[in-house]
Amino acid sequence: MTEQYVLGLQEIDETQVAVVGGKGAQLGGLSRIDGISVPGGFCVTTAAFRRVMAEVPSIDELLDRLSRADPEDRERVRTLSAHIRRAVEETAVPDDLAVAITRAVSGLGEDIACAVRSSATAEDLPTASFAGQQDTYLNVVGPEAVLRHVSRCWASLFTERAVIYRQRNGIDHRTVHMAVVVQRMVLPDASGILFTADPVTGNRKVATVDAGFGLGEALVSGLVNPDVYKVREDEIVARTIAAKQRAVHALPAGGTREVTVDSQRQEQPALTDAQVLRLVRLGRRIEAHFGRPQDIEWCLADDGFQIVQSRPITTLFPVPGSGDQENHVYVSVGHGQMMTDPMKPLGHSMWRLTAMVPMHEAGGRLFVDVTRRLAAPTSRAGLLDVLGKGDPLIRDALETVLDRDGFVPTLPDAGPGGPPAGGPPAPLETDPAVVTRLIERSETSVAALERDIRTKSGPALFDFLVEAFEEHKRVLSDPLSIQAIMAGMEATWWLNDKLLEWLGEKNAADTLTLSAPGNITSEMGLALLDVADVIRPHPELVTFLQGVEDDGFLDELAKLPGGAEARDAIQAYLDRYGMRCVGEIDITRPRWSERPTTLVPVILDNVRNFEPGAAELRFEQGRRRAQEKEQDVLSRLRALPDGEQKADETKRMIDRVRTFIGYREYPKYGIISRYFVYKQALLKEAGSLAQAGVLARTEDAFYLTFQELRDAVSSRQVDDRLIRERKDAFRSYHALTPPRVLTSEGDALTGAYRRDDVPAGALVGLPVSAGTVEGRARVVLDMADADLEAGDILVTAFTDPSWSPLFVGIAGLVTEVGGLMTHGAVIAREYGLPAVVGVEQATRLIRDGQRIRVHGTDGYVEILP
C-alpha cells in the first residue's frame, strides 16, 4: 500500500492539508494553475509520519510531559523537544516506506538534487502562519540523503520554536502531523519573495517584490538586503536596488555555501523591469486561484519563473465587503466604543442590528463607511471636526487618505432642502429635570422590555426582538437625549477653548467637571468602595475571597460571620451594575452577573487600599475642588477687560456642563441594560438547542449571527462545520491589530500626531484629563488580573465603562485607544486622574513596574530611569 505514503504533486490539491500538510497542499494547488511552473516532486504523507511516530520509543509519555510543560520555561521545553527530535531521527524508517520514498526520488531523475521541506498540517493556513517553524533542506543529493533528511523534517515538528508557538496558540501537539515535500532542486540565477499585497500598508493593489542573486536563503536569513520593487496596476511605482555582496549557491556534491558576488554585479538589479512585471502577473494569477493575498517564494532560472511556495499573508487586516468596485473609506467603531478586541458573530450582528448607522464587519471588528461624508466639502469638514475632537489620530488618518489624488470623489454639498419638519429643536435649558426625565424614560422602556420578553420563546421571541430593536433605536435617537449629550460636550469644548484664550489655561474643564452629578459610570466605581466597606471589618471574609475561584461563591460567603451582609452588598451591586463587563458591546462576553469572580480582585484591592467611607469622601473632595476652581476662574475673569460679561458667560457654561456632562454616560448604560435582557432570552433558546443536540454546547450559538440563530431555532438544524470555521477565524482575529481607518484597497491607517512640543523619547498621546503624576506603571490587559496599589498608574489597551471600578484606586491612566469624550476620558476627569489616551503600543513600550510620568495636560508620557 505504498500509495498512502507517497503522492505526486500533480495528484494533490489544496483541500488535502490533512494528508500532505499546508505547504504540500498549496504546492499541489499551485501545480494545477495554468501558466504556473512548480518544480516537479512528491509528498511523503502524514500517514508515513504517523507510522514512524508509532515506533518511536516512549513517545506518548514524552508528548504528555511536553504538553504539561510551561511555554515560559524555555529550558524544560528545550530539553524535552530535543529528546523527542533525537528519538524521531534515530527511529529506523520501515522498509516498505523507505522503498516507496526511494522509488519516488529515482523518478525525479538519476542523482538529482532535491529540496526536502517540512509540511505540517497546521501550516500555511488562512488563519495561521507557521512560516519558519519547521525545517527545509536544500540541494540534498541521492536517495539515502533524502531519506535521512525526511527523518529530520519529521523531527523538526518538535523544534523549540515550533513547540512554543503551538502551546501559545492553544494547539495540541498530537493534532499536528508532518508531511514532507521533496522537489527537484532549482539552481536559480535570482530568487526572492513576492507579496501580492503591500505587507506594510496592507494595500491590496500594490505588490512588493524582494529579489537577490542565487538561492533565496540569502534573503530569508538576512545575509543580504534585497532589491525591492513596488508594482501597482502593471507599473513599477517604486524601486530600491541594494548592494548585494553575498549570495548562497548550491554545491555539486550537495548542500549550500555562501559566496561573494562579483563587485561589478553587486549593484546590478537581480531582475529586469520586464521580469518584475511578469512575476507580479503570475502572482495575481496565484492570488486569484487561492482567493486571498499571497506570500510567494520564487526562483528565476533560464528566464523562467519557478514557484516554490505560496502561503496566505495572515497579517493583513481583512477588507469589508462592499459589493462594488468603488473606493471606500471606513472608520473603526471599536476605537470610538473603546473595545478593539474581535467580536463573535452574534456580538457584531447584534450591534449592527441595534446601531444607528450601517456598519460593516471585517476581522471580527465593525467599521462605518464614511466615503460619502468625506466627498462633500461641508459634511467633510463637520466629520473631520467631530472625529478630530474625539481622536486626532482618526482625523490624521482620514486626511492622509484625502491627500491621495482622486481616491475620495468630490461631490457637491446637499441642497438646502428647507428646514426640518416642525422647525429646529428649541434650545435646551440648563435644567437638571431634563436629565431626570430622560433617565425615567429609559428605565421605563427597559422595564417594559423585561416584562414583555418573559412570555416569548421560539420563533416568536425573534419576532419580538426585531420589534424591540426598533424601540432600542428609538430610545437611542431621542432628540432630547442627543441634545443633552451635545450640551455637555459643547459646554466642555467652550470652556476649554475660552479659558485657554482668556486665561492661558489648558483643559480647565477637566477640574470643573470633577464629581459632576448623575454620572452612572463614576457612581459604579464609587459603589464598589462601599461594598469593600462592608467586607473590610471581617478578616475571615477577606481570606475567603482571596481563595475564590467558583462563580457560585456568594452562597458560601453568606455562611461566614458577616457574610450575609457582604453577600447582600455584592448582590445589590450586581443588580445595579451586573449587566456590565469588559468589551460589553459584544453581547457574547460574560457579564459580571454571570461571572462575579471578575470583581473579587477589585474588591480586595479596595479593602486593602482605602479607609472606610472612601466613596463619599472621594466624591465630596472632587465636588469641592470643582467649586474652588469655579470661584478661582470667575474671579480671574472679572479682572479682565469685559470681565463681568466673560465671567457671566463662563458661569452659565459651568452650570451647563455640570448639569449635562454626567448624562453622557447614561445612554450606554441603557444600551447594555437592554443587551443583558436580550442575552438572557437568547441563551435560553441556545440552551434548548444544546439540550436537543442541535448545538454541541450552548455557547456555540455565539458563533452564529442573529439571523442564523433565528433560522436554527426554526429549523432545529445547525451547520457544525460553519461553527468550527467561525471558531478558527475568531481565534485568528486576535492576532490582528485593527486600524483606525481602513480603505477598500486594504490600506490600514493608524494616523500620527503632528507635534513638536514633546520631549525626545516621550510617548505621544491625547491629553484628556489634566495634571501631572509620577508612579509605578501597571500594565494590565485583563481587568481580572489587576493587582493595584495606591499611586499606581494603569496602562492598558482600552478602558470601556467596566474598567471604572479600577479608576478609584489609581493615580493616572494611559491607554492605547481613546478620545476626548470616550468613557475612560470622561471618568478620568470625574475622578481627577491625569490621563493620556491614544498612545500607540503603550502596553508594549511601557514595561510593567517601570516608573513613568504622565503629563495629562500636555498629552505625553515619559519613561523614567
Side-chain angles (χ1 to χ4, degrees), residues 517-540:
N519 187 316
I520 189 78
T521 309
S522 62
E523 289 169 1
M524 178 171 69
L526 296 174
L528 208 57
L529 289 175
D530 291 335
V531 172
D533 286 352
V534 177
I535 292 164
R536 191 180 293 105
H538 304 284
E540 199 174 343

Side-chain angles (χ1 to χ4, degrees), residues 215 217-218 221-224 245-251 255-261:
L215 291 166
E217 297 309 291
S221 65
L223 185 64
V224 296
Q245 297 173 342
R246 310 285 289 168
V248 175
H249 284 175
L251 293 169
T256 61
R257 71 168 181 184
E258 290 179 27
V259 299
T260 301
V261 177

Side-chain angles (χ1 to χ4, degrees), residues 94 196 243 322 326 365 397 427 562 607 628 630 639 671 674 706 789:
T196 63
S322 63
E326 303 296 318
R365 280 80 168 191
V607 168
E628 289 166 0
E630 176 181 328
I671 291 170
R674 301 179 76 89
F706 176 81
E789 294 180 6

